[in-house]
Amino acid sequence: MSTILEMRSIVKEFPGVKALDGVDLDVTRGEIHAICGENGAGKSTLMKVLSGVYPHGTYDGEIVYDGETAEFGSITDSERRGIVIIHQELALVPYLSVAENIFLGNEQRGRTGLIDWNRVNTEAARLMARVGLDENPVTPVNQLGVGKQQLIEIAKALSKEVRLLILDEPTAALNDTDSEHLLDLLRHLKGQGITSIIISHKLNEIEEIADRTTVIRDGSTIETIDMRDAGSGAVQDRIIRGMVGRDLEHRFPERTSVVGDEVLRVEDWTVYHPTQVGRKVIENASFNVRAGEVVGIAGLMGAGRTELAMSIFGRSYGRSISGRLYKDGKEIQARTVAEAIDHHIAYATEDRKTYGLNLIEDIRWNVSSAGLGKLAPRGWVNDNEEIRVAQEYRSSLNIKAPDVLSTVGKLSGGNQQKVVLSKWLYTDPDVLIVDEPTRGIDVGAKYEIYTIINKMVAAGKAVVVISSELPELLGICDRVYTLAFGRITGELPVAEATQERLMELMTLERDQPLPTKENVS
Amino acid sequence: MNAIASARDLITRNLRQSGILVAFVAIVAVFALLNPMFLSATNLTNIVLQYTYILILAIGMVMIIVAGQIDLSVGSVVALTGAVSAVVVVKNGMPWWAGVLAALVVGLLVGAWQGFWVAYVGIPGFIVTLAGMLLFRGLTYVVLDNISISPFGKPYYDIANGFLNGLFGGYGYDVFTLVIFAIGVVGYAVAQWRGRQSKISYHQSVESMPLFVAKLVVVAAVVMWFAYKLATYRGLPVVLIILAVLTIGYTLVTQKSVFGRHVYAVGGNRHAAELSGVKVRKVNFWIFVNMGLLAAVAGVVYSSRMNAAQPGAGNMFELDAIAACFIGGASTSGGVGRVGGAIIGGLIMAVISNGMQLMGVSTSIQPIVKGLVLLLAVAFDIYNRRRAAALR
């Protein structure tokens, strides 16, 4: 087997930061090669060097592609040689059709110089068949789900005669079925001789699909693991060890729970869809959380997890909401977000970029944004106090940034998530609802997020964790509720919960009867 | 940190603002070299009298732009409020303050009208104010019956053309003007000093002492030179006081108040703001009400300056105000922009217009130059921002 790509001692410096410090990467022709590393380790920078986003001359080191030294000056150069990168944030135009997107920038012209639409659509259909996408080529992209959009990106890559396909976190936004389908497709493409590099945080996925895995830490290559040689099970630990540079004996920090009085109770909570009349998104949901307790809400995508949380948090989702909220035993009204915050309820969103942060502002303003009233007793903000507060959270939550005036949009996912948590911690919540708190962030940062949650409950607060990662819920919760099709289908103390048992409850359909309630207290 | 490194750091951190300031100084220098009359007492006073209303509009506009909206109707609102004021003062013979009051009330109503459609119906500001531009222009014609109304009479005329002077006498220059400016400079120095002390008490880094003093000395020298120029001509223009009060007030509101913070939050990420407890609709409503009020102030100043209300008054003012904001570093996508920046942006437009008039450049060339300046200023700003981002 020959080598298709060799990157030798790549060094890339930004003013003040050495992002890559001698990375080596060998990719064998026809393999699926995974790259692992914590956020900020340099994976994306490396791929930008490879694809010509950082042109030749702006980095040190050598790239040998297909037996020749490659000196790409732009993405166009690398694409011409068959290197295509698919970014985590998909680059599709929502209102254009599938076919138009596939050939965007590479339009199929007829003899007149105008676009030959028949050829475009036929070609598109052929490419779509190759990626297993069964849709009409003229369908606008925004009518398709993320999973299918991902396939369109791959079809687009195929249209460019791709030989080395780079995927940055391809399954981060996909559900299990779509992820499985995508991985199958990669195997299939491998059979056709296409080499893939996949960047992912999902270790199960890597173990399943990769032939070899290169681990990067702090801008240097740690090791390249041949996944067939490494014993299964042990390989994930080995990758983690390489990524964080230490043994991560426990993925979840220890905690002894001291459960106190009930802090929040939700009763008969019913929420209707904001635009589709008559559609119940949440149906008669009841749950509670007590002081010092971490309660999990497990549910598949579309079960109504986020909708449940947001409707409780100042009715920021849905309409015709009915049901009762009790805080410390007393019934409360939280009709707006401001009222919810006044009742010391906080909600950290699953989509921090769209709903959580002002990405163009600095850490300081983001941290203070929900609890600004505390800094401005008479309507005028004390900006020195504001900086002090931000600095305090930066050090206590270990936000990695030069200073609190750094723009939030430039931070890594884990650090952005810490800013979101800082913002809500500063509002002094009694109940913190965190929605997918560790989505898209690396192992080390995950551990830190769990520690923050533990600190909160140790201080006698209550935390509700919404997550689709069952090991995470089992690792950090005291109690887990399952949500399926808008109904709470079960409640289990963590000691009695297993992934299988939870999955069973999470897939209970609307017409199936609920199991007899398994009581905890 | 030594003084040079500290100075460089200060400039880098404030590149977005300092870049445009450098451009302003350069433009002033060019005109001063081309025409010695440019920096004369008479001309400096003229610039103040002639362009204040654009700066007043720019203050309101920058808040609208930061919130991610735009207001195309301000030119028409300037005309309408001036017209209402003229009807009250000239036609009905009421005192000058009644006219001002009527104009301000009309401005508030206009703002509330537009704010309602933007905030509570959810129509983009671009559309609402495009409609408003036609609507209020038409109303101006109706109010004025399609003819100019003039003259306003002495007290109203003095709002935009009057001077405060002679209170403390003087020999060839007006001592009162110098005293007012000196108080301003001392106030500025004290505020800067207290800010610095407060930063130190919070253990934040501050610029080195020599640099701090040098900055104050430069600011004081420039301001006092300007004051001396005004003093040797006719003293302190009334509009300059109005402008100074508005600039200081709105700088505080935008930078230090909770409301100001909410404006930036809405423009930066509307959804995140909403989920942080910001009442997005209220913010959108009040920035338009505020714009209506400031457009009325500009309407009063402009009608006073012209000593007449004309059906076609204020034509294209909205574009000058918007250009001032973008030259001053505001972002078209919202969330970024400052009152100080918009003022400097407005001054750049003013200085260029004035400089060209002084040199007798034909009126057909003037808009070409202004258009190019807008383009180049924003290009310069983008270039600076990229460099600043790379240096971070």
Side-chain angles (χ1 to χ4, degrees):
Chain A
M1 270 202 276
S2 63
T3 301
I4 185 169
L5 173 74
E6 202 177 332
M7 298 179 84
R8 278 194 222 120
S9 31
I10 305 289
V11 176
K12 169 75 187 166
E13 272 182 271
F14 297 104
V17 201
K18 213 169 201 178
L20 296 179
D21 190 6
V23 176
D24 296 306
L25 180 68
D26 271 305
V27 181
T28 308
R29 198 178 300 277
E31 73 168 343
I32 297 179
H33 195 111
I35 297 181
C36 280
E38 288 192 287
N39 287 336
K43 296 163 303 195
S44 301
T45 313
L46 185 66
M47 291 304 111
K48 281 180 182 167
V49 166
L50 172 57
S51 58
V53 173
Y54 299 130
H56 178 77
T58 61
Y59 59 87
D60 295 322
E62 198 186 7
I63 302 177
V64 179
Y65 176 66
D66 228 2
E68 289 169 41
T69 306
E71 298 181 350
F72 301 130
S74 68
I75 302 189
T76 330
D77 282 358
S78 62
E79 282 191 352
R80 205 172 293 140
R81 299 287 308 276
I83 300 177
V84 179
I85 182 162
I86 297 177
H87 294 281
Q88 196 178 346
E89 273 98 26
L90 300 178
L92 297 172
V93 186
Y95 299 105
L96 292 186
S97 75
V98 176
E100 282 169 312
N101 267 292
I102 289 177
F103 289 104
L104 195 63
N106 180 24
E107 283 78 6
Q108 304 293 300
R109 279 180 233 196
R111 255 177 307 169
T112 52
L114 300 175
I115 295 176
D116 182 348
W117 285 111
N118 290 326
R119 199 166 111 208
V120 165
N121 289 331
T122 331
E123 272 295 296
R126 197 180 58 78
L127 290 165
M128 285 161 70
R130 268 181 83 188
V131 298
L133 182 61
D134 185 22
E135 290 288 339
N136 191 332
V138 300
T139 313
V141 161
N142 63 350
Q143 291 182 10
L144 304 178
V146 197
K148 288 181 176 172
Q149 294 190 7
Q150 187 75 258
L151 296 180
I152 298 171
E153 284 277 12
I154 295 176
K156 190 172 169 181
L158 292 177
S159 79
K160 293 172 186 162
E161 312 273 314
V162 64
R163 293 195 296 144
L164 176 60
L165 182 64
I166 304 164
L167 299 117
D168 191 357
E169 300 258 6
T171 59
L174 303 190
N175 62 30
D176 290 346
T177 328
D178 285 345
S179 300
E180 202 48 53
H181 186 83
L182 185 79
L183 298 184
D184 278 342
L185 175 63
L186 291 185
R187 282 193 203 98
H188 182 66
L189 293 176
K190 178 182 159 186
Q192 297 174 7
I194 294 175
T195 314
S196 304
I197 295 178
I198 175 169
I199 297 175
S200 179
H201 285 308
K202 296 187 178 170
L203 299 183
N204 289 331
E205 194 173 285
I206 289 174
E207 189 176 353
E208 190 184 331
I209 195 166
D211 298 308
R212 292 195 302 156
T213 301
T214 296
V215 181
I216 295 178
R217 182 174 78 232
D218 299 331
S220 316
T221 305
I222 301 302
E223 62 173 338
T224 297
I225 305 168
D226 194 322
M227 306 295 277
R228 279 157 303 185
D229 293 353
S232 71
V235 70
Q236 288 198 26
D237 287 341
R238 188 165 155 197
I239 293 174
I240 291 175
R241 208 158 46 231
M243 278 164 61
V244 300
R246 61 175 190 274
D247 278 307
L248 207 61
E249 245 177 52
H250 307 286
R251 281 197 217 176
F252 306 102
E254 290 282 336
R255 172 171 67 90
T256 42
S257 48
V258 186
V259 176
D261 294 335
E262 178 183 87
V263 179
L264 183 75
R265 184 161 87 245
V266 179
E267 274 184 6
D268 296 327
W269 199 254
T270 299
V271 180
Y272 284 85
H273 194 276
T275 51
Q276 297 172 15
V277 179
R279 182 175 153 204
K280 276 186 195 172
V281 180
I282 300 293
E283 196 176 343
N284 287 326
S286 298
F287 70 92
N288 74 348
V289 54
R290 291 169 294 186
E293 191 181 33
V294 180
V295 166
I297 293 182
L300 295 170
M301 233 188 242
R305 303 165 303 182
T306 299
E307 291 79 359
L308 174 63
M310 284 179 72
S311 60
I312 292 168
F313 185 62
R315 309 203 166 180
S316 30
Y317 171 89
R319 62 191 302 165
S320 317
I321 297 169
S322 61
R324 291 172 304 283
L325 285 182
Y326 296 89
K327 172 84 194 305
D328 302 320
K330 273 185 243 121
E331 182 161 4
I332 57 160
Q333 300 291 333
R335 278 161 304 212
T336 63
V337 171
E339 280 181 15
I341 293 173
D342 286 344
H343 285 298
H344 297 282
I345 299 171
Y347 167 72
T349 168
E350 60 170 339
D351 185 350
R352 53 184 169 264
K353 287 190 175 167
T354 314
Y355 294 105
L357 295 168
N358 183 348
L359 293 172
I360 59 174
E361 275 304 343
D362 50 30
I363 295 177
R364 170 187 57 165
W365 279 23
N366 272 287
V367 168
S368 66
S369 60
L372 203 55
K374 282 169 71 183
L375 286 168
R378 281 182 295 276
W380 298 96
V381 181
N382 179 344
D383 39 11
N384 286 309
E385 181 65 15
E386 185 175 30
I387 289 194
R388 194 193 60 72
V389 166
Q391 281 170 344
E392 192 181 298
Y393 280 105
R394 174 173 153 244
S395 55
S396 68
L397 268 63
N398 192 22
I399 299 170
K400 287 181 200 110
D403 57 38
V404 295
L405 302 180
S406 308
T407 308
V408 165
K410 288 184 183 156
L411 302 180
S412 70
N415 286 313
Q416 287 183 347
Q417 186 68 348
K418 289 181 199 166
V419 175
V420 173
L421 289 176
S422 304
K423 159 175 150 180
W424 289 114
L425 291 179
Y426 186 58
T427 63
D428 294 328
D430 296 329
V431 189
L432 174 65
I433 307 172
V434 284
D435 197 348
E436 298 284 2
T438 61
R439 174 177 288 174
I441 68 181
D442 58 61
V443 182
K446 276 184 184 175
Y447 192 88
E448 289 182 280
I449 302 280
Y450 301 143
T451 312
I452 295 164
I453 291 173
N454 283 357
K455 267 193 202 154
M456 255 202 90
V457 289
K461 313 290 184 186
V463 176
V464 178
V465 180
I466 297 173
S467 178
S468 50
E469 286 185 43
L470 296 181
E472 173 171 285
L473 289 177
L474 295 175
I476 60 171
C477 294
D478 295 302
R479 224 163 16 115
V480 182
Y481 288 93
T482 52
L483 192 68
F485 301 98
R487 291 193 306 172
I488 298 244
T489 52
E491 174 192 355
L492 294 170
V494 77
E496 296 170 25
T498 59
Q499 294 202 38
E500 291 72 26
R501 181 88 188 95
L502 289 175
M503 193 49 88
E504 215 173 282
L505 292 166
M506 281 155 62
T507 49
L508 214 57
E509 301 218 9
R510 219 179 264 273
D511 45 8
Q512 286 173 296
L514 296 179
T516 45
K517 200 175 179 189
E518 324 203 23
N519 231 332
V520 238
S521 50
Chain B
M1 208 187 284
N2 63 35
I4 297 165
S6 160
R8 193 179 297 147
D9 188 58
L10 185 78
I11 292 167
T12 311
R13 282 205 170 273
N14 299 303
L15 208 51
R16 193 153 194 172
Q17 278 97 46
S18 60
I20 215 67
L21 199 57
V22 169
F24 176 61
V25 171
I27 292 169
V28 169
V30 167
F31 279 117
L33 283 175
L34 289 174
N35 191 331
M37 273 302 289
F38 181 73
L39 290 182
S40 70
T42 324
N43 193 50
L44 288 178
T45 306
N46 258 339
I47 293 178
V48 172
L49 296 181
Q50 222 175 330
Y51 298 104
T52 304
Y53 52 87
I54 293 294
L55 301 182
I56 294 172
L57 291 176
I59 291 172
M61 190 66 79
V62 78
M63 293 173 73
I64 301 254
I65 287 174
V66 166
Q69 301 282 351
I70 197 95
D71 191 337
L72 301 174
S73 70
V74 293
S76 298
V77 181
V78 164
L80 177 63
T81 50
V84 168
S85 176
V87 168
V88 169
V89 176
V90 182
K91 274 202 175 161
N92 294 321
M94 293 172 73
W96 66 274
W97 53 262
V100 172
L101 207 62
L104 296 183
V105 168
V106 168
L108 285 172
L109 289 175
V110 163
W113 162 264
Q114 303 202 115
F116 165 76
W117 289 103
V118 173
Y120 295 101
V121 185
I123 300 175
F126 187 94
I127 310 285
V128 170
T129 59
L130 187 61
M133 181 174 154
L134 300 169
L135 203 61
F136 304 126
R137 180 64 63 188
L139 281 177
T140 308
Y141 291 150
V142 172
V143 169
L144 288 179
D145 225 351
N146 235 341
I147 48 160
S148 289
I149 298 182
S150 64
F152 274 97
K154 178 77 175 145
Y156 192 91
Y157 175 80
D158 275 349
I159 295 172
N161 301 286
F163 295 86
L164 288 178
N165 53 20
L167 263 69
F168 303 142
Y171 309 92
Y173 52 89
D174 179 47
V175 175
F176 175 74
T177 305
L178 292 178
V179 168
I180 292 291
F181 270 91
I183 291 172
V185 167
V186 171
Y188 173 75
V190 169
Q192 290 288 312
W193 176 256
R194 284 176 52 179
R196 185 185 151 90
Q197 289 309 105
S198 160
K199 273 190 175 176
I200 291 170
S201 74
Y202 276 92
H203 306 291
Q204 289 170 35
S205 65
V206 287
E207 66 260 48
S208 67
M209 199 57 186
L211 188 70
F212 177 75
V213 173
K215 197 177 90 182
L216 285 186
V217 169
V218 170
V219 170
V222 171
V223 171
M224 289 318 291
W225 169 82
F226 180 67
Y228 177 75
K229 285 285 183 180
L230 292 183
T232 53
Y233 185 52
R234 297 187 54 191
L236 185 61
V238 176
V239 279
L240 193 58
I241 299 173
I242 298 176
L243 181 66
V245 168
L246 290 176
T247 305
I248 294 167
Y250 278 95
T251 301
L252 287 175
V253 167
T254 50
Q255 298 308 310
K256 298 252 178 184
S257 78
V258 171
F259 178 76
R261 216 42 98 64
H262 285 177
V263 175
Y264 283 92
V266 169
N269 183 345
R270 188 198 161 112
H271 300 297
E274 207 147 28
L275 280 178
S276 302
V278 175
K279 295 184 170 103
V280 175
R281 287 179 176 167
K282 262 193 186 158
V283 169
N284 277 336
F285 179 76
W286 285 108
I287 54 168
F288 275 96
V289 171
N290 178 60
M291 183 75 250
L293 182 68
L294 285 174
V297 175
V300 168
V301 169
Y302 186 70
S303 57
S304 157
R305 169 83 187 146
M306 295 288 127
N307 200 17
Q310 298 148 335
N315 193 23
M316 304 269 273
F317 281 13
E318 57 279 344
L319 298 185
D320 282 335
I322 292 167
C325 294
F326 289 137
I327 292 174
S331 153
T332 47
S333 48
V336 178
R338 275 166 178 262
V339 168
I343 293 284
I344 294 174
L347 282 175
I348 288 181
M349 297 293 276
V351 163
I352 289 172
S353 301
N354 171 275
M356 286 191 298
Q357 279 166 21
L358 211 60
M359 289 166 57
V361 176
S362 86
T363 46
S364 44
I365 300 298
Q366 287 183 25
I368 297 177
V369 174
K370 276 165 114 181
L372 288 175
V373 166
L374 171 62
L375 204 59
L376 290 177
V378 176
F380 179 65
D381 180 46
I382 287 173
Y383 168 76
N384 270 334
R385 254 187 291 161
R386 284 207 191 123
R387 220 175 45 167
L391 284 173
R392 277 263 160 120

